[in-house]
Amino acid sequence: METTEQMYAMPRIGDMAPDFTAVTTTGKIKFSDFAKDKWIVMFSHPADFTPVCTTEMSGFAERQDEFTAMNTELIGLSIDSIHSHLAWVNNVREKTGVYFQFPIIADLDMHVSKLYGMLQPNESETAAVRAVFFIDPSKKIRLIMYYPLNVGRNMDEIVRALQALQFTDKHKVAMPLNWRPGDKVIVPPPKTLAEMDARIADTTCEKIDFYLAKKTI
């Protein structure tokens, strides 16, 4: 028999994103075929026609061009019908002028929500928490954020995290606290005595000590 723990299993960073087929506001999709060769930011919201969710989805929509410029597709989800999704998208467009053009999954059977651990039983059995999955072009999960039902996400941090992931992939470095594009990055620490001596002698980077060095890229 399936246990609650199995039912709401949560994918981990480094796992391949679970595949699924779903109905969305832009048509039926198979996730493994969606946005090939692109990053994906997939996010869940508890319910349509709710105030916090409306602000969050509007935030994604208003900054969609930024995600597009970063070779990233957005996809939302809630445990609502496709008819509810369409009505909500149209209502927000009529009332605010903001149009949710990214696909929103209609997850009435909760299949995708359970597949991605978006249902947290101690929070709600029938509404997805505010999860965000950053998925790279190989469809590997790279970063996961979870927020409770009553706390909205920070869009600046979502954008910053995506920028950091892409930058680290390109330059093979690490990011210090509060890193933003243009800030110095952390170079990998030495792994041998010879590398340590070379780091100590290196005058091209800012060194706190041999194990903590920063440089501008």
Side-chain angles (χ1 to χ4, degrees):
M1 190 171 85
E2 190 177 48
T3 66
T4 300
E5 184 177 355
Q6 291 169 331
M7 219 170 131
Y8 304 120
M10 189 183 299
R12 297 166 296 186
I13 292 173
D15 288 351
M16 296 305 293
D19 199 12
F20 60 86
T21 300
V23 173
T24 81
T25 51
T26 62
K28 192 172 183 179
I29 67 163
K30 182 174 176 60
F31 188 71
S32 56
D33 294 332
F34 175 69
K36 280 187 176 296
D37 303 318
K38 293 187 177 183
W39 286 74
I40 297 171
V41 174
M42 182 166 69
F43 45 93
S44 56
H45 63 278
D48 297 344
F49 293 99
T50 54
V52 177
C53 297
T54 300
T55 65
E56 289 190 318
M57 299 293 272
S58 296
F60 279 110
E62 289 171 334
R63 301 183 70 167
Q64 186 163 3
D65 287 348
E66 289 182 58
F67 289 101
T68 299
M70 290 187 283
N71 192 39
T72 301
E73 292 289 338
L74 302 174
I75 183 167
L77 173 149
S78 77
I79 302 170
D80 288 291
S81 71
I82 193 64
H83 307 292
S84 174
H85 281 345
L86 293 174
W88 184 41
V89 169
N90 191 54
N91 175 262
V92 174
R93 177 170 60 174
E94 288 180 343
K95 300 297 183 184
T96 70
V98 177
Y99 188 28
F100 307 162
Q101 298 185 65
F102 47 79
I104 305 172
I105 297 167
D107 196 33
L108 271 179
D109 63 0
M110 299 186 281
H111 173 66
V112 181
S113 298
K114 292 175 182 177
L115 200 60
Y116 278 80
M118 294 170 174
L119 279 169
Q120 307 279 317
N122 290 330
E123 186 79 355
S124 174
E125 290 276 1
T126 57
V129 295
R130 303 179 192 282
V132 189
F133 289 84
F134 297 73
I135 300 165
D136 70 19
S138 72
K139 298 301 180 280
K140 181 183 290 186
I141 296 171
R142 300 293 299 280
L143 191 153
I144 304 171
M145 298 175 176
Y146 277 92
Y147 292 74
L149 301 181
N150 60 350
V151 176
R153 286 163 276 214
N154 185 305
M155 196 57 57
D156 289 337
E157 174 57 13
I158 290 171
V159 171
R160 189 199 75 90
L162 179 61
Q163 291 169 331
L165 287 168
Q166 293 184 348
F167 199 90
T168 57
D169 279 4
K170 182 177 180 179
H171 298 286
K172 309 305 179 189
V173 292
M175 302 308 188
L177 174 72
N178 296 329
W179 176 89
R180 289 187 177 278
D183 291 350
K184 291 181 179 179
V185 299
I186 294 174
V187 293
K191 296 181 176 63
T192 65
L193 291 173
E195 289 181 1
M196 181 184 69
D197 288 341
R199 175 64 53 79
I200 291 171
D202 187 356
T203 60
T204 65
C205 58
E206 173 192 333
K207 292 192 293 288
I208 308 302
D209 208 326
F210 72 88
Y211 66 89
L212 175 53
K214 300 179 182 180
K215 67 178 180 180
T216 301
I217 294 180

